[in-house]
Amino acid sequence: MKFYSTNNPSVRVSMEEALLRSLPADRGLYMPETIPAMGADFFNSISGGSLADIGFQISSALFKDAIPTAKLEELVHHAFPFDTPVVALEDGKTHVLELFHGPSLAFKDVGARYMAAMMGYYLEKSNREVHILVATSGDTGGAVAMGFLGVPGIKVTILYPTGRVSELQEKQLTTLGQNITAIEVDGSFDDCQALVKTAFTDSELNQQFSLASANSINIFRLIPQSFYYARAYGQVKHLGKPVVFSTPSGNFGNLSAGALAYKMGLPVQQFIASTNLNYVVPKYLETGVYEPKPSVETISNAMDVGSPSNFVRLTHLFNDNFETLKHVLSGYFFDDEQTKQAMAAVYQQFNYVMCPHTAVGYLGLQRYQQTNPDVCGITLATAHPAKFKELVESVIHTPVDIPAALEELMNRPKSSFKMKADFAEFKDFLLQTA
């Protein structure tokens, strides 16, 4: 399997280089040279497969013999000791794909743990070291920190916007120590992301370090996210209805992963891009004009992205054809008040607790089902509500328990470095702490 840059499709790199380099020098994004068709037999027999089973089968089809079969199976099963269950709400037409059963209680555990397993394999083979740079608007940082904690040959630096992540999210970034360093940036997620992207194209830093990313800009963070779309389909296939996924969206890696699964043959009637007031993609679907904007701060903070990196991947998967994309993808956006109302209504009606991001996904699904009622609707639950404990409790007026493993983090002291959104300052920090 080779990978190419969206900015220069004629250049091909190996699986190892795409994984460890993360971004091409031309500032494009890596994409797989070929997307395998998994075939009707795979999807017809998918119901009994676990996330790890499905992940291994898709990985085998993608990577062929790049990693020995027995080793690949071992790596994938090590990455996924948890599953991604689909829960049906009592209305019978709404389902929730719970993606928060990993160690950091967020969907990004799937990508982070898979990446850590793959990187660990190649680094052990080559005796190399890499320095991972990550910008986070919330859950990515915690998942990466926990997924890569203590992995030999890997150092991780996480940038996050000050005051724009929840307390529990911040604790996951700033209390682990070892090979994890947290930088608190005076700015937005877009500022953090810009610092990381600039670092990858800086010649001096690239001479000093072997830089890699664990954001969804790395194709190996995105590939494993396609697995749980297939796993979810397997859990609802017996209902015999067209399947619709509503994906709470910020940087659009999660939705691009769904589109990747669709290109492999996953039977999906429609994807829904559900966003908060950072609505550049829903507006694009409405007007055909893509206009990135400065991010807006909302209660669904992990989706506060005004210039989503993966938009280019999403359109690329549909040959940059607006009409083709619009046939498969709908987009809706909602404000904080609507989000809170949905959280309260779902709790009152179904005794089900949603985080604000999941509630945005639920709203998008509801909107779509107003004109398409006879579908099996699945909204992605991207994070455990305990990660937004204060907010959720203020909305549903009921205590939310924190799982024991994360409650222990709340008592640890925070350790982070504060910094302006200035690349020169960031570069000096990296060079001085090398």
Side-chain angles (χ1 to χ4, degrees), residues 55-203:
F56 169 63
Q57 291 179 73
I58 294 176
S59 297
S60 297
L62 267 171
F63 308 141
K64 299 182 171 64
D65 300 321
I67 298 175
T69 300
K71 185 63 178 180
L72 181 62
E73 185 170 19
E74 176 192 325
L75 292 172
V76 175
H77 279 80
H78 175 75
F80 305 134
F82 55 90
D83 207 355
T84 50
V86 171
V87 175
L89 299 186
E90 290 174 7
D91 66 358
K93 63 179 183 177
T94 307
H95 299 75
V96 181
L97 171 56
E98 293 187 342
L99 302 175
F100 50 70
H101 293 281
S104 80
L105 306 187
F107 78 100
K108 294 177 181 180
D109 284 321
V110 173
R113 289 182 61 85
Y114 186 85
M115 275 192 67
M118 295 295 173
M119 283 188 171
Y121 169 76
Y122 279 112
L123 292 174
E124 184 180 8
K125 277 185 64 181
S126 62
N127 200 29
R128 290 174 60 185
E129 292 188 352
V130 298
H131 190 148
I132 293 176
L133 303 180
V134 179
T136 184
S137 56
D139 290 324
T140 290
V144 169
M146 291 185 163
F148 286 87
L149 182 66
V151 176
I154 296 179
K155 181 178 180 180
V156 180
T157 299
I158 302 171
L159 292 78
Y160 70 99
T162 185
R164 296 199 185 187
V165 301
S166 74
E167 183 183 6
L168 184 50
Q169 287 174 324
E170 187 174 42
K171 288 287 188 177
Q172 288 181 312
L173 309 177
T174 61
T175 62
L176 298 178
Q178 296 186 49
N179 59 328
I180 311 296
T181 299
I183 297 178
E184 192 174 345
V185 176
D186 183 12
S188 66
F189 167 75
D190 294 329
D191 294 322
C192 298
Q193 186 164 253
L195 291 174
V196 169
K197 285 185 174 181
T198 305
F200 280 112
T201 60
D202 184 272
S203 57

Side-chain angles (χ1 to χ4, degrees), residues 248-388:
S249 299
N251 214 19
F252 278 80
N254 205 352
L255 207 149
S256 296
L260 182 63
Y262 175 77
K263 288 295 180 178
M264 293 180 195
L266 181 67
V268 177
Q269 174 172 298
Q270 193 80 357
F271 290 99
I272 301 164
S274 299
T275 78
N276 55 30
L277 290 179
N278 296 280
Y279 47 62
V280 292
V281 173
K283 282 292 185 184
Y284 165 75
L285 293 169
E286 182 183 323
T287 65
V289 178
Y290 181 64
E291 293 183 311
K293 298 180 182 296
S295 60
V296 176
E297 189 173 352
T298 74
I299 60 171
S300 48
N301 63 287
M303 295 153 56
D304 292 349
V305 183
S307 180
S309 291
N310 284 292
F311 177 75
V312 66
R313 274 200 180 112
L314 185 62
T315 58
H316 196 79
L317 284 164
F318 293 93
N319 301 315
D320 297 314
N321 186 305
F322 175 71
E323 293 301 327
T324 303
L325 176 63
K326 194 174 179 182
H327 178 72
V328 181
L329 179 64
S330 303
Y332 309 106
F333 64 91
F334 306 93
D335 62 25
D336 284 352
E337 189 55 38
Q338 290 171 300
T339 304
K340 290 179 182 178
Q341 289 173 0
M343 293 164 66
V346 169
Y347 181 69
Q348 290 165 6
Q349 286 180 255
F350 309 119
N351 196 33
Y352 191 88
V353 183
M354 288 182 169
C355 85
H357 309 78
T358 307
V360 171
Y362 174 79
L363 284 167
L365 181 59
Q366 272 200 321
R367 182 74 60 86
Y368 180 81
Q369 287 179 322
Q370 287 175 3
T371 52
N372 300 270
D374 195 28
V375 298
C376 175
I378 303 175
T379 185
L380 275 60
T382 55
H384 193 289
K387 299 192 80 169
F388 307 89

Side-chain angles (χ1 to χ4, degrees), residues 193-271:
Q193 186 164 253
L195 291 174
V196 169
K197 285 185 174 181
T198 305
F200 280 112
T201 60
D202 184 272
S203 57
E204 186 178 2
L205 288 178
N206 279 277
Q207 288 172 2
Q208 181 77 23
F209 307 107
S210 179
L211 296 177
S213 171
N215 278 82
S216 59
I217 56 176
N218 190 312
I219 186 66
F220 284 85
R221 233 291 300 279
L222 188 146
I223 285 171
Q225 292 176 238
S226 69
F227 305 163
Y228 52 66
Y229 284 92
R231 171 70 178 127
Y233 172 78
Q235 293 175 75
V236 300
K237 180 177 174 294
H238 68 281
L239 298 175
K241 291 187 175 183
V243 175
V244 172
F245 285 101
S246 180
T247 304
S249 299
N251 214 19
F252 278 80
N254 205 352
L255 207 149
S256 296
L260 182 63
Y262 175 77
K263 288 295 180 178
M264 293 180 195
L266 181 67
V268 177
Q269 174 172 298
Q270 193 80 357
F271 290 99

